[in-house]
Amino acid sequence: MTHDYVRGIDHVGVTVPDIEAATTFLIEAFGARVVYESFTTDQPPQGSPEIDRDLNLHPGTRLVAARLVQLGRGPEIELFQLQAEVQRPASRPSDFGLQHLAIYVDDMAEALRCFESAGGQMLSGPNPFLFPKEEGCGNLFCYGRTPWGMMVEFLTYPSGMGYERGTSLRRWHSCGS
């Protein structure tokens, strides 16, 4: 069975406590660009029981702001600032659901410098990939945390990956995107 109707990931939605601070961080850390504003803080916060139900929000959640930002040539990030009576901190990779945003970089040292300079916290330095099918000369990864607690993986695989010997499929970066 084919799924030709699927083209790929368009964007990832991220809820942040302060959309301006998050946007500034993404610009300083990754050179993000604002594509457009969907909903601004100049507008009164909005919400309804129907939206709460349809989007699986905590009852009474209010939308404060939303905007789409672009990092490099990959999928966009849709930022949301939401107000709710109950809001949990960002999840850990050991929790269920989306666990991190992975960003391919050509210059690991410069990417980590910008990330930390913008207010991010690195959890480790660059390390070789953990899985044999991802190994290759110069292939590195490491994790950091944004100021609002979201996990970010930095990765680079300039020599390709071991899995490529067994399939014609390629990861996003290898497709020339």
Side-chain angles (χ1 to χ4, degrees):
M1 175 164 66
T2 65
H3 293 84
D4 293 339
Y5 54 89
V6 176
R7 287 193 184 192
I9 295 173
D10 180 76
H11 70 274
V12 176
V14 177
T15 299
V16 298
D18 180 328
I19 201 162
E20 296 306 330
T23 301
T24 298
F25 173 79
L26 293 171
I27 290 169
E28 291 177 4
F30 305 118
R33 297 174 305 274
V34 175
V35 178
Y36 61 84
E37 305 276 342
S38 303
F39 193 82
T40 69
T41 55
D42 295 336
Q43 299 171 264
Q46 292 187 4
S48 71
E50 294 78 24
I51 292 173
D52 292 345
R53 181 195 65 236
D54 292 350
L55 301 180
N56 195 31
L57 302 174
H58 187 274
T61 296
R62 295 285 179 248
L63 173 64
V64 175
R67 73 173 48 123
L68 199 73
V69 298
Q70 186 176 67
L71 275 63
R73 296 179 305 271
E76 280 79 31
I77 298 174
E78 189 172 19
L79 296 174
F80 293 93
Q81 183 175 334
L82 301 167
Q83 290 176 337
E85 190 175 306
V86 175
Q87 287 182 292
R88 298 183 193 128
S91 64
R92 293 175 178 253
S94 54
D95 295 329
F96 295 119
L98 293 174
Q99 58 163 270
H100 69 273
L101 178 66
I103 299 178
Y104 188 96
V105 298
D106 291 319
D107 184 336
M108 183 72 76
E110 180 65 6
L112 302 186
R113 186 194 68 73
C114 289
F115 184 76
E116 289 182 308
S117 176
Q121 175 193 5
M122 291 310 303
L123 301 177
S124 73
N127 294 295
F129 280 92
L130 298 174
F131 307 119
K133 291 193 177 207
E134 296 175 337
E135 292 175 349
C137 184
N139 293 2
L140 301 169
F141 83 101
C142 57
Y143 279 83
R145 191 173 23 244
T146 66
W148 61 92
M150 184 179 77
M151 298 293 293
V152 176
E153 177 183 11
F154 294 85
L155 61 147
T156 188
Y157 40 97
S159 64
M161 293 187 164
Y163 84 90
E164 295 172 353
R165 290 185 295 277
T167 180
S168 62
L169 296 175
R170 295 294 180 262
R171 292 176 64 152
W172 170 81
H173 176 266
S174 298
C175 294
S177 298

